[in-house]
Amino acid sequence: MVSSRARVRVEAPCSTANLGPGFDVLGLALDAYRDIVEVSLEEGYGVSTAVKGPYAGELSEPPEGNAVTVIAEKALRECGFNGRVRIELVKGVPVGKGLGSSGASSAACALALNILLDLGWDEVKLIQLAMEGEYAASGSRHADNVSASLLGGLTLVGSYDPLEVVRLAPPEDLRFVVAFPWEVSSKRKTEALRAAAPRNITLDEHVSDLGCLAILIAGLVNSDPELIGKAMGKGVVEKARIPLVPGYFKVREAALKAGAYGVSISGAGPALIALTFEEAAEVAEAMKKAYIEQGFTPEVRVARPSCGARIIPEGGEEP
Amino acid sequence: MVSSRARVRVEAPCSTANLGPGFDVLGLALDAYRDIVEVSLEEGYGVSTAVKGPYAGELSEPPEGNAVTVIAEKALRECGFNGRVRIELVKGVPVGKGLGSSGASSAACALALNILLDLGWDEVKLIQLAMEGEYAASGSRHADNVSASLLGGLTLVGSYDPLEVVRLAPPEDLRFVVAFPWEVSSKRKTEALRAAAPRNITLDEHVSDLGCLAILIAGLVNSDPELIGKAMGKGVVEKARIPLVPGYFKVREAALKAGAYGVSISGAGPALIALTFEEAAEVAEAMKKAYIEQGFTPEVRVARPSCGARIIPEGGEEP
């Protein structure tokens, strides 16, 4: 039941979700940031967790409440493993910015445990496990971020019951600029942001969102930035959240003026994501400037669609 | 301003819309039936319309109220043409069955006028013109059927204001079985069926429909019948309409038992459409039998995705 390997290291990319009309449905893995999870066997019983890396300090929960601990305890219970697993999480994805930070840790941890404990769980089962970590961290059982971080590329969550996730080839030639202010975190606000989503939607709004999502997927499938740009940032949930995202209007306007095809809130924000092609550097600069002008300290990165969670070979980079 | 041709003949295929979660957003051209529209110049002013063909008798409106007349009058007004246009419509698409009958006439007529009068209107403008015919016939200004009949393949209506339509390559190897009872027509019921759609939708229903639509498009793009089948027939609008569609449950069950991947109401019904692959003949037979067992006289055809409206060359088939 246990792999011949005494330790397994997995890295998983950050992700953006929604892109506007794809609320709780669409995820896209990005190579802007990544988490690394190392799992290893130790003498004794249970799970021990250590967190390090540039954003370790941002995890306010004690390690016991961390997504990776929750996942490991659940996996151990479910497979009846009676030993002890040590987890080391290298937190490379900024926390609470809307970049699927807990989703990346969760996806990396789920895949690492699958290998270490020789669980033989399939993708759906691993997403379900990772969703438990996401739930522990965010209070919401959505699958868009964990699916993207696990499978890579563009992922569509077709249904939650039963869980149905499809991976589409990511548009390789597109670039995404991710930008957020360090001062703001949605970590404590995810629930507020989810609460801001309207409870009731009119048929017209519903059809409008269906149309935007159709255009968005068609654009992503065909790698057509103009089409994607027309749909990005639309949708009833995005609209309801805008007032809760600091700097939204000015940063968005700056990005569009600099040549971005579209801008949307990344996940639950506060990060914004802009779609670009060859003008990525100009868009990044414009977004940075717009944040500074509003008194924020911005973090801005140009990202490509990323592959999903993957094993770091022995002898590779240390966590 | 007028083409060198004295008459132009255009054929346009029927279409199915919605496929469940794609309400008012998704159209698919099918080669099951087609309309032919011939437009020609005559002495005098205005528009004269004649209707013939197998389903001419089902058009209860006088020719003046017909979709093609409405379109021609609008086009003549808009381009300032002062002559007379004669229209001959060969009605080959059954009327009021949910197969985009008025959409096919409208698409064919719009394209024929564009050529005859040398209007130089683009696709969007032609769809908008054809939508006026659809509106005259059905009381609803939706673009899914006319887009599919005009452009062919799979069409996605991303937005209505401004009108944004995307054509995706149709899944060539899929087969669709179209079936309906002759006794039932939705011609008088389109408004009732539209009224049956819920006015307010919960966020959960909204997300569920977004997910189904995402899966549906991913399946169609990848020509993956299992994926399409999972999403087809889902959605809040489809669900609300089922009680208004005679024979739905038994015909659907028969199709699925015979190997169909999914079944949905075609447009506003009463036609049902089943997705099949190699088992099209068996599915068609099963649907036929199920209608007969319920006391209906069924019409059943196996269809492929079709190209859009196209000119019939001079010397080709007479209308």
Side-chain angles (χ1 to χ4, degrees):
Chain A
M1 196 69 183
V2 170
S3 149
S4 54
R5 308 166 76 145
R7 66 170 194 178
V8 174
R9 268 180 302 153
V10 169
E11 60 174 10
C14 71
S15 66
T16 188
N18 307 346
L19 292 184
F23 175 65
D24 274 3
V25 156
L26 184 147
L28 178 67
L30 293 174
D31 68 359
Y33 307 91
R34 62 179 184 146
D35 277 356
I36 297 174
V37 170
E38 177 181 294
V39 290
S40 51
L41 297 175
E42 281 191 341
E43 292 293 312
Y45 301 95
V47 176
S48 76
T49 305
V51 186
K52 58 183 191 177
Y55 307 114
E58 293 179 30
L59 290 169
S60 57
E61 304 293 334
E64 304 79 51
N66 192 287
V68 295
T69 316
V70 169
I71 287 173
E73 284 170 348
K74 197 172 157 56
L76 263 53
R77 236 184 354 259
E78 199 162 331
C79 75
F81 178 75
N82 273 325
R84 182 174 179 83
V85 171
R86 176 179 161 73
I87 303 176
E88 204 162 281
L89 164 63
V90 186
K91 195 70 221 157
V93 182
V95 179
K97 304 302 183 193
L99 294 168
S101 177
S102 53
S105 309
S106 299
C109 188
L111 180 59
L113 289 167
N114 198 35
I115 297 161
L116 183 77
L117 302 177
D118 200 18
L119 300 175
W121 291 352
D122 65 11
E123 282 177 359
V124 167
K125 181 87 181 161
L126 290 182
I127 293 169
Q128 283 167 330
L129 179 63
M131 279 171 76
E132 295 300 318
E134 180 75 355
Y135 179 65
S138 76
S140 159
R141 209 169 251 109
H142 55 281
D144 40 12
N145 289 117
V146 293
S147 300
S149 284
L150 188 72
L151 307 181
L154 177 68
T155 50
L156 304 174
V157 184
S159 78
Y160 280 83
D161 185 22
L163 185 65
E164 183 79 48
V165 177
V166 181
R167 184 186 182 280
L168 292 178
E172 295 289 354
D173 47 356
L174 302 179
R175 296 290 169 270
F176 296 86
V177 181
V178 175
F180 61 85
W182 280 114
E183 290 84 353
V184 185
S185 169
S186 70
K187 202 180 155 195
R188 298 282 172 218
K189 287 183 196 160
T190 299
E191 285 182 41
L193 276 151
R194 294 194 80 85
R199 294 295 106 188
N200 282 294
I201 292 152
T202 67
L203 185 63
D204 282 351
E205 289 170 331
H206 180 62
V207 171
S208 172
D209 275 23
L210 290 175
C212 285
L213 181 63
I215 286 283
L216 183 64
I217 297 175
L220 287 163
V221 162
N222 291 336
S223 220
D224 180 336
E226 291 199 12
L227 214 53
I228 301 168
K230 279 175 182 161
M232 254 181 98
K234 303 276 174 64
V236 289
V237 174
E238 172 102 356
K239 197 174 162 195
R241 286 173 162 187
I242 290 171
L244 301 175
V245 176
Y248 177 91
F249 290 106
K250 291 200 169 161
V251 178
R252 181 174 179 275
E253 193 191 347
L256 293 174
K257 265 194 183 162
Y261 291 91
V263 177
S264 71
I265 303 167
S266 180
L272 296 178
I273 181 158
L275 172 67
T276 73
F277 206 66
E278 286 176 350
E279 52 296 285
E282 293 90 322
V283 172
E285 196 50 41
M287 293 174 86
K288 194 173 179 175
K289 206 173 147 218
Y291 272 125
I292 291 169
E293 281 171 5
Q294 294 177 88
F296 294 111
T297 312
E299 161 84 356
V300 181
R301 290 210 186 173
V302 177
R304 298 169 190 237
S306 170
C307 60
R310 60 181 174 185
I311 300 167
I312 302 174
E314 279 294 327
E317 190 177 348
E318 282 298 314
Chain B
M1 197 64 185
V2 170
S3 148
S4 55
R5 308 167 75 148
R7 67 169 190 175
V8 174
R9 269 181 301 153
V10 169
E11 61 174 8
C14 72
S15 66
T16 189
N18 305 349
L19 293 184
F23 176 65
D24 274 4
V25 158
L26 183 149
L28 178 67
L30 292 175
D31 68 359
Y33 306 92
R34 62 181 185 147
D35 277 356
I36 297 173
V37 170
E38 178 180 294
V39 290
S40 51
L41 297 175
E42 281 191 340
E43 293 294 310
Y45 301 96
V47 177
S48 75
T49 304
V51 185
K52 57 183 192 177
Y55 307 114
E58 293 178 30
L59 290 169
S60 57
E61 305 292 335
E64 304 80 52
N66 191 288
V68 295
T69 317
V70 170
I71 286 174
E73 284 170 347
K74 195 170 159 58
L76 263 57
R77 234 182 0 256
E78 199 162 332
C79 74
F81 178 76
N82 274 325
R84 182 174 179 82
V85 170
R86 177 180 160 69
I87 302 176
E88 205 164 280
L89 165 62
V90 185
K91 196 68 219 156
V93 182
V95 179
K97 305 301 184 194
L99 294 169
S101 176
S102 54
S105 308
S106 300
C109 187
L111 180 59
L113 290 166
N114 198 36
I115 298 161
L116 184 79
L117 302 176
D118 200 18
L119 301 174
W121 290 351
D122 65 11
E123 281 177 0
V124 167
K125 181 88 179 159
L126 291 182
I127 293 169
Q128 282 167 329
L129 179 62
M131 279 172 74
E132 294 300 319
E134 180 75 354
Y135 179 65
S138 76
S140 160
R141 209 170 250 109
H142 54 281
D144 39 12
N145 290 118
V146 293
S147 300
S149 284
L150 187 72
L151 307 181
L154 177 69
T155 51
L156 304 174
V157 184
S159 78
Y160 281 85
D161 185 22
L163 185 65
E164 183 77 50
V165 177
V166 182
R167 184 186 184 281
L168 291 179
E172 295 290 354
D173 46 355
L174 301 179
R175 296 292 169 269
F176 295 87
V177 181
V178 174
F180 60 84
W182 281 113
E183 290 85 354
V184 185
S185 170
S186 70
K187 203 179 156 195
R188 299 281 173 219
K189 287 183 197 159
T190 299
E191 286 183 40
L193 276 152
R194 292 194 82 84
R199 294 295 106 187
N200 282 294
I201 292 153
T202 66
L203 185 63
D204 281 350
E205 289 171 331
H206 181 63
V207 171
S208 172
D209 274 24
L210 290 175
C212 285
L213 181 64
I215 286 282
L216 184 64
I217 297 174
L220 287 162
V221 162
N222 291 336
S223 218
D224 179 336
E226 291 199 14
L227 214 51
I228 301 169
K230 279 174 183 163
M232 254 181 99
K234 301 276 173 65
V236 290
V237 175
E238 171 103 357
K239 197 176 160 193
R241 286 172 162 189
I242 289 171
L244 301 174
V245 175
Y248 177 90
F249 289 106
K250 291 200 171 162
V251 177
R252 181 175 180 276
E253 194 192 344
L256 294 174
K257 266 194 184 163
Y261 291 92
V263 177
S264 71
I265 303 167
S266 180
L272 295 180
I273 181 158
L275 171 68
T276 72
F277 206 67
E278 287 176 350
E279 52 296 285
E282 292 90 322
V283 172
E285 196 50 42
M287 294 174 87
K288 194 172 181 176
K289 206 174 146 218
Y291 273 127
I292 291 170
E293 282 171 3
Q294 293 176 90
F296 293 113
T297 311
E299 161 85 355
V300 181
R301 290 209 186 175
V302 177
R304 295 167 193 242
S306 171
C307 61
R310 59 182 174 184
I311 301 167
I312 301 174
E314 279 295 327
E317 192 176 348
E318 284 296 315

